[in-house]
Amino acid sequence: MRASSIVGVGKTYRGALSRTLVLVFLATFLWLQIHVINLTTRDWSSQTSSNETLYSLVPQELHRFLKERQNATAITANATLGILTKNEINEIRRHIEKINAEQRVINEEAFGPLASDSPVIVVQVHTRLTYLRHLIVSLAQAKDIEQTLIVFSHDVWDPDINYLVQSVDFCRVMQIFYPHSIQTHPRTFPGEDSHDCPRNIRKEQALLLKCTNAQHPDLYGHYREAKFTQTKHHWWWKANRVFDQLEVLKNHTGMVLFLEEDHYVAEDFLHVLKLMERTSKHSCERCNVLSLGTYLKTYNYYADFSRKHLGINAAMQKELLRGIKKRESPSINLPTTYHNAQSALAAPNWAYHLLPSLYNHYQKAEVTPWISSKHNMGMAFNRVTWNKLRKCASQFCSYDDYNWDWSLQHVAQSCLPPSKGAGTIPRVESGLIAMMMRAPRVFHIGECGVHHKKTNCESTAVIAKVRNVLKSSRNHLYPTKLTLTVAGVAKKTKLKKGNGGWGDIRDHELCLNITLNTDLLLI
């Protein structure tokens, strides 16, 4: 009896344990299901809220530029993930070659041939689709945009981006594709070759390893990184392409304005560009670069305004000026590595709450030697200036700096003839003289990029601030004339050492061949 009782108790215990385990399992499963549903709902709700905010910033008739494309292809998904197959890469190359050869001007039948002196807008595009959507929205709202040609220059084939660009219907549009991209050369130069030297290896080790570019580290002993060299190659290629290879622009004499995918334009930016062009012809013949964008951290706007114009008390004004001077003070002592250099040139925090006061005063433009860190946003020049730059291809292509703007700075100081003094403008040791708008018409909305990674890369807050600035300044847009001021200029500017990243002789040769091939086409 005792044995059978024990067996019965054991069975009862095991049965109770089994039921308990089943209940625990069911409870856990139910909790996980509820948790997942809550997370999904929260993410969906957050995404919906973000989308609603973005849509609220855009006029109803332009919402079409914010809508996602339906029926994405395999190439779209794989291109986004960076896992293209060899066949997909070959297919992309065929698309690129075809489009570059056709040189099709979209919407030409609607707007007619481009006038020889009309502005041409060139947008450098990588992968940041959200920013590009809002640049296009801002362009769509600009006065006289129908008179222009917008050339979108891509270094990534992305069907979603292509769909967006090809949906632009408010002006003439053309797409061009940089043919030497990392996407189309993922395992060979100019992409990352498996036989290339690692970035941080010492030259002695590289020579022992016999890696491909062992003989050519940069100024700081580092070896090339394709993701950084591509931007300079792309910029130089698109400039050569636009001025010297596009049939539609072979007789073009007007201004070419360079923008990037994370820029945003004011509605009167074309009006101001034309006004600057006329002013330069009549009052500043030496001004060969027009700059529509301004980084506030590099310019002391507030020196032009009294406390009355700023609407702040004396104590606050002094505090603001201290902050501005503190941000301006690194002028710049060059960092020891080109990665650190980028942090020194990081995008500034715009003083949006003060910026509208810039538009209340006289519409001023400043004349000054072109400086890469101040005048590289929304810059424009014509074919005359380009022909001078193109003759300096060897200096641009061999300068050990992976930034196109720092390389132009080097060209301006080492290759182009100094600007002769005239009137109130002194002689300066630079071949590029900028006319820069004090009140910007081009804004930087990019929170993230190659060098700047943040947990939240949404552009909503920045776009909202820019739109508020322009809305509050609406009565002061469309100036009828410009007042030129001349910046104080040092007698001689010391040539700066480059930021590196451009020591590989293969980069020099590729860059130079872009121009040499253009010269052959011109013969």
Side-chain angles (χ1 to χ4, degrees):
M1 289 293 292
R2 186 177 298 173
S4 61
S5 297
I6 293 172
V7 171
V9 171
K11 287 181 178 180
T12 303
Y13 174 77
R14 284 196 298 272
L17 181 62
S18 297
R19 287 193 296 274
T20 302
L21 289 174
V22 169
L23 289 173
V24 169
F25 173 79
L26 289 174
T28 303
F29 179 77
L30 182 61
W31 180 85
L32 287 172
Q33 288 289 90
I34 294 172
H35 186 64
V36 169
I37 290 171
N38 285 339
L39 286 176
T40 305
T41 304
R42 192 182 307 135
D43 289 344
W44 180 85
S45 176
S46 176
Q47 182 65 39
T48 302
S49 176
S50 177
N51 289 339
E52 288 175 353
T53 303
L54 287 173
Y55 274 80
S56 70
L57 298 174
V58 176
Q60 182 74 35
E61 65 274 13
L62 299 179
H63 283 184
R64 64 186 186 276
F65 296 122
L66 302 181
K67 293 180 179 177
E68 300 292 335
R69 185 172 75 103
Q70 302 299 317
N71 303 320
T73 64
I75 284 185
T76 303
N78 291 347
T80 303
L81 297 172
I83 53 173
L84 292 167
T85 66
K86 186 175 181 180
N87 287 338
E88 287 172 337
I89 291 172
N90 289 335
E91 184 181 350
I92 288 174
R93 285 182 175 178
R94 286 193 294 271
H95 285 311
I96 288 174
E97 290 172 4
K98 183 175 182 290
I99 291 176
N100 281 349
E102 286 177 348
Q103 298 190 19
R104 179 191 169 205
V105 179
I106 303 171
N107 303 325
E108 189 173 33
E109 67 283 355
F111 297 101
L114 182 73
S116 61
D117 61 347
S118 290
V120 172
I121 302 163
V122 183
V123 182
Q124 185 155 324
V125 183
H126 187 49
T127 60
R128 295 177 291 176
L129 180 58
T130 299
Y131 294 143
L132 182 61
R133 291 185 189 281
H134 288 281
L135 170 60
I136 288 174
V137 166
S138 70
L139 290 167
Q141 298 175 83
K143 187 178 184 299
D144 297 330
I145 192 65
E146 69 280 357
Q147 299 176 10
T148 69
L149 166 66
I150 304 179
V151 179
F152 292 90
S153 183
H154 307 260
D155 56 30
V156 169
W157 175 273
D158 185 316
D160 287 338
I161 291 177
N162 294 343
Y163 176 81
L164 171 64
V165 169
Q166 291 162 17
S167 70
V168 172
D169 55 4
F170 50 80
C171 67
R172 304 166 193 84
V173 170
M174 178 182 281
Q175 284 184 286
I176 59 177
F177 288 86
Y178 173 58
H180 312 295
S181 70
I182 298 172
Q183 185 190 46
T184 54
H185 300 77
R187 290 172 287 276
T188 58
F189 179 87
E192 299 284 356
D193 192 303
S194 59
H195 298 292
D196 285 348
C197 301
R199 176 189 181 270
N200 293 322
I201 195 172
R202 295 200 309 272
K203 185 175 181 179
E204 296 79 8
Q205 294 173 304
L207 291 171
L208 290 174
L209 191 62
K210 295 183 179 179
C211 42
T212 303
N213 50 336
Q215 294 284 358
H216 305 290
D218 69 7
L219 284 166
Y220 307 102
H222 300 302
Y223 289 95
R224 80 184 295 270
E225 293 178 273
K227 64 182 178 181
F228 297 121
T229 59
Q230 177 170 271
T231 303
K232 179 174 172 177
H233 281 305
H234 184 180
W235 193 93
W236 187 244
W237 175 84
K238 80 180 180 191
N240 278 268
R241 182 76 174 166
V242 167
F243 281 106
D244 297 331
Q245 296 179 15
L246 296 184
E247 186 69 19
V248 69
L249 297 179
K250 65 179 181 180
N251 298 316
H252 184 256
T253 59
M255 284 289 166
V256 175
L257 173 66
F258 291 88
L259 299 177
E260 297 181 15
E261 63 187 6
D262 61 349
H263 289 171
Y264 192 97
V265 299
E267 65 177 71
D268 71 337
F269 85 100
L270 289 171
H271 169 88
V272 170
L273 180 63
K274 292 175 184 177
L275 180 58
M276 294 175 77
E277 185 179 10
R278 288 199 303 269
T279 304
S280 66
K281 289 177 180 177
H282 297 299
S283 305
C284 185
E285 292 183 1
R286 293 192 305 151
C287 295
N288 48 17
V289 177
L290 308 180
S291 181
L292 288 171
T294 308
Y295 295 105
L296 288 190
K297 74 166 185 177
T298 65
Y299 226 90
N300 186 353
Y301 287 115
Y302 309 104
D304 288 334
F305 303 100
S306 66
R307 291 192 297 274
K308 178 181 70 175
H309 289 109
L310 281 174
I312 56 179
N313 60 38
M316 186 179 291
Q317 184 186 39
K318 289 178 181 179
E319 184 64 28
L320 282 168
L321 292 176
R322 272 199 299 271
I324 293 165
K325 289 177 181 177
K326 186 176 181 180
R327 290 195 299 272
E328 290 178 349
S329 58
S331 59
I332 291 170
N333 294 324
L334 198 74
T336 55
T337 67
Y338 61 87
H339 287 290
N340 289 340
Q342 280 303 315
S343 63
L345 295 173
N349 293 317
W350 291 67
Y352 288 110
H353 56 292
L354 288 174
L355 192 55
S357 64
L358 298 176
Y359 298 84
N360 298 342
H361 209 44
Y362 295 107
Q363 292 300 316
K364 288 186 176 181
E366 182 164 278
V367 177
T368 178
W370 188 84
I371 299 173
S372 61
S373 58
K374 293 182 180 181
H375 309 129
N376 62 359
M377 186 171 64
M379 58 179 281
F381 52 82
N382 59 19
R383 189 179 300 278
V384 174
T385 300
W386 167 249
N387 287 338
K388 294 177 181 178
L389 292 174
R390 187 163 56 85
K391 291 177 181 178
C392 298
S394 60
Q395 285 85 350
F396 180 92
C397 291
S398 61
Y399 183 57
D400 193 357
D401 194 307
Y402 72 117
N403 298 287
W404 64 264
D405 51 350
W406 281 67
S407 301
L408 277 189
Q409 180 85 65
H410 174 73
V411 164
Q413 294 180 300
S414 65
C415 180
L416 298 179
S419 178
K420 297 178 181 179
T424 59
I425 305 174
R427 183 181 188 277
V428 293
E429 301 294 325
S430 175
L432 292 179
I433 302 299
M435 180 188 294
M436 180 193 74
M437 285 301 298
R438 285 295 189 94
R441 262 59 180 192
V442 175
F443 300 84
H444 181 256
I445 61 172
E447 292 288 276
C448 298
V450 175
H451 302 287
H452 308 292
K453 304 294 183 185
K454 295 184 178 180
T455 54
N456 178 16
C457 290
E458 287 292 336
S459 53
T460 312
V462 180
I463 294 168
K465 290 177 182 178
V466 171
R467 286 181 60 83
N468 287 337
V469 166
L470 294 175
K471 183 178 179 180
S472 63
S473 308
R474 189 176 297 276
N475 293 335
H476 305 288
L477 301 179
Y478 301 100
T480 56
K481 65 178 181 178
L482 292 181
T483 301
L484 297 185
T485 60
V486 180
V489 180
K491 291 183 178 180
K492 190 169 183 179
T493 305
K494 184 179 179 181
L495 287 176
K496 291 184 177 180
K497 189 178 179 183
N499 291 312
W502 197 265
D504 199 314
I505 196 170
R506 293 173 299 173
D507 286 314
H508 301 180
E509 292 171 347
L510 173 59
C511 178
L512 193 57
N513 282 336
I514 288 170
T515 304
L516 293 177
N517 290 336
T518 299
D519 289 339
L520 291 175
L521 289 171
L522 294 174
I523 294 175

